[in-house]
Amino acid sequence: MSEQDPLPPLEWDPEGVQIQGFSAGLYQIEWLLVTIVILYLVIMGLPAEGGLGVLVATISYFGFSLLASRLRFFGERQRWLLALHTWAMIGFITWFLHGTEGVTGPLASLYLLAIVTSALTLGVMVTMLEVAAIAACQLLLLHLQGTDILATDSLAPVGTSIIALLIVGYLTAALVHTIHLSNRTLLKMASRDALTGLFNRRAFDDLSSPIHEMARRAQRPYCVVVIDMDGLKVINDTQGHAAGDRAILGLAKRLQACKRSSDLLARYGGDEFVMLLPDTDAVGGKKMMERVINARWHNPQSISIGVASYPEQGESFEELVGHADSAMYLSKSSGGNRVSARAAA
């Protein structure tokens, strides 16, 4: 099955999974930020100038985070909403620092919360843009404090802070990228057959379930096909298991060449393959499999095929697999290299 086939994907989606899984963690980080700010204001007191603005900004930011968590703003792959939260976090921190001790205060490191949040979910490029925005905010805060931003004494702490943010952001994003690559590899190992590269039984069952549900709701037919090689044991006994593997691989390529882009193909185990043909009734499924048998192929291996269709042969996917398997054995007992369709239940 190609990566572009219109089937429910059994692939690691770092963007969707990361955003959906991190939404609750994001709110916790935002509430942690608000908690730190409130503790600071309780201990140090409201600033003499602009204290009311700081308090209003804190309450507004907390209200924004609380509303977002209740309304479940995060839909599938909506990265821009997560980016909005991180930019809002940067704006709130900048406003708070402006109303208190500025970039020279102890809470200037709060920018790390926004950077880590971005690096975990939005990638290196967005994180680096946010670091640049933070650098501009820090220089603006220095200017508003009446500090000469070109002076070495002023640029040194800002430069040190930005370098730290760059390192943390880049390393965090790189670590997340490495984890994504590892997850893709593990998922491929868990869902693909090592010899043929086709989906394995677990993946086929996972992908078939939503297709069955869609067919049931739309009252559309589909076929389950079971394909088994004839005489693999003879090949293994006379020519060796390497020759048997080559025969299995040849059949896999033959089936891949004959399938449609919407069809689902998997190696179910041993020399048995299984296919799911969406929007195909029993007659269409049998004709398609007869074309597979009759297709011109270099030294084609004899195969026995069984076809069962939904809903005639059963209401559940498991029933269809069982009926297709029985039809395959009927083909095999009838001499092999033929297609049998299960009679209506």
Side-chain angles (χ1 to χ4, degrees):
M1 175 180 167
S2 68
E3 300 297 333
Q4 291 77 30
D5 286 348
L7 292 169
L10 194 73
E11 301 290 342
W12 177 254
D13 179 10
E15 198 173 83
V17 171
Q18 198 72 355
I19 290 175
Q20 293 178 17
F22 193 71
S23 58
L26 170 66
Y27 302 133
Q28 292 172 5
I29 290 176
E30 290 179 328
W31 298 339
L32 173 62
L33 172 60
V34 172
T35 301
I36 294 173
V37 168
I38 292 175
L39 286 176
Y40 176 86
L41 294 177
V42 169
I43 295 173
M44 304 300 295
L46 287 173
E49 294 184 7
L52 181 59
V54 170
L55 185 60
V56 171
T58 303
I59 296 174
S60 299
Y61 179 73
F62 179 72
F64 163 77
S65 178
L66 186 62
L67 181 64
S69 67
R70 296 304 181 200
L71 295 181
R72 302 183 182 277
F73 283 167
F74 287 93
E76 187 174 342
R77 301 187 177 184
Q78 292 182 340
R79 295 177 74 244
W80 67 271
L81 287 173
L82 184 53
L84 174 64
H85 276 257
T86 57
W87 287 104
M89 193 182 300
I90 292 173
F92 169 65
I93 294 171
T94 302
W95 182 267
F96 172 75
L97 294 178
H98 173 58
T100 55
E101 300 182 50
V103 295
T104 59
L107 296 186
S109 59
L110 287 176
Y111 283 121
L112 279 171
L113 294 176
I115 293 302
V116 170
T117 301
S118 176
L120 285 172
T121 53
L122 300 176
V124 175
M125 292 302 297
V126 175
T127 303
M128 295 302 104
L129 286 174
E130 293 190 354
V131 171
I134 291 172
C137 289
Q138 290 185 337
L139 291 175
L140 176 62
L141 289 173
L142 287 175
H143 175 71
L144 293 176
Q145 290 175 350
T147 305
D148 183 5
I149 60 175
L150 298 180
T152 304
D153 293 343
S154 301
L155 289 178
V158 173
T160 302
S161 173
I162 295 304
I163 290 174
L165 293 175
L166 283 171
I167 293 174
V168 171
Y170 180 81
L171 290 180
T172 303
L175 177 61
V176 170
H177 179 68
T178 301
I179 293 173
H180 288 163
L181 291 178
S182 299
N183 284 331
R184 288 192 189 98
T185 302
L186 290 173
L187 183 57
K188 184 174 182 180
M189 292 172 62
S191 62
R192 297 281 180 171
D193 173 61
L195 175 62
T196 63
L198 300 177
F199 283 120
N200 58 21
R201 181 168 186 162
R202 171 255 170 186
F204 182 83
D205 290 344
D206 285 351
L207 288 169
S208 299
S209 179
I211 296 176
H212 172 79
E213 288 302 314
M214 286 188 290
R216 183 184 62 81
R217 290 195 298 268
Q219 292 298 299
R220 301 288 297 174
Y222 72 86
C223 282
V224 174
V225 181
V226 174
I227 306 106
D228 193 86
M229 292 180 60
D230 298 325
L232 179 64
K233 186 177 185 302
V234 175
I235 296 176
N236 286 331
D237 291 343
T238 59
Q239 303 178 42
H241 288 281
D245 287 346
R246 287 194 296 271
I248 291 173
L249 188 58
L251 176 56
K253 293 179 179 179
R254 179 179 170 189
L255 295 173
Q256 282 182 301
C258 296
K259 69 183 280 295
R260 302 169 302 184
S261 63
S262 60
D263 297 334
L264 180 60
L265 171 64
R267 184 186 179 191
Y268 225 46
D271 59 345
E272 186 174 77
F273 295 80
V274 64
M275 295 181 70
L276 190 151
L277 314 178
D279 294 316
T280 306
D281 58 18
V283 175
K286 187 174 181 180
K287 287 183 178 179
M288 179 177 174
M289 290 301 104
E290 287 174 346
R291 288 197 295 269
V292 171
I293 288 181
N294 297 327
R296 294 185 178 182
W297 198 262
H298 179 65
N299 295 325
Q301 179 67 33
S302 175
I303 55 177
S304 296
I305 301 176
V307 178
S309 64
Y310 172 85
E312 292 86 355
Q313 279 80 48
E315 290 295 323
S316 72
F317 175 73
E318 291 74 16
E319 284 183 277
L320 294 174
V321 174
H323 291 326
D325 197 53
S326 298
M328 181 273 294
Y329 279 109
L330 178 60
S331 294
K332 195 174 287 288
S333 64
S334 301
N337 208 41
R338 66 189 64 202
V339 182
S340 298
R342 176 75 179 185

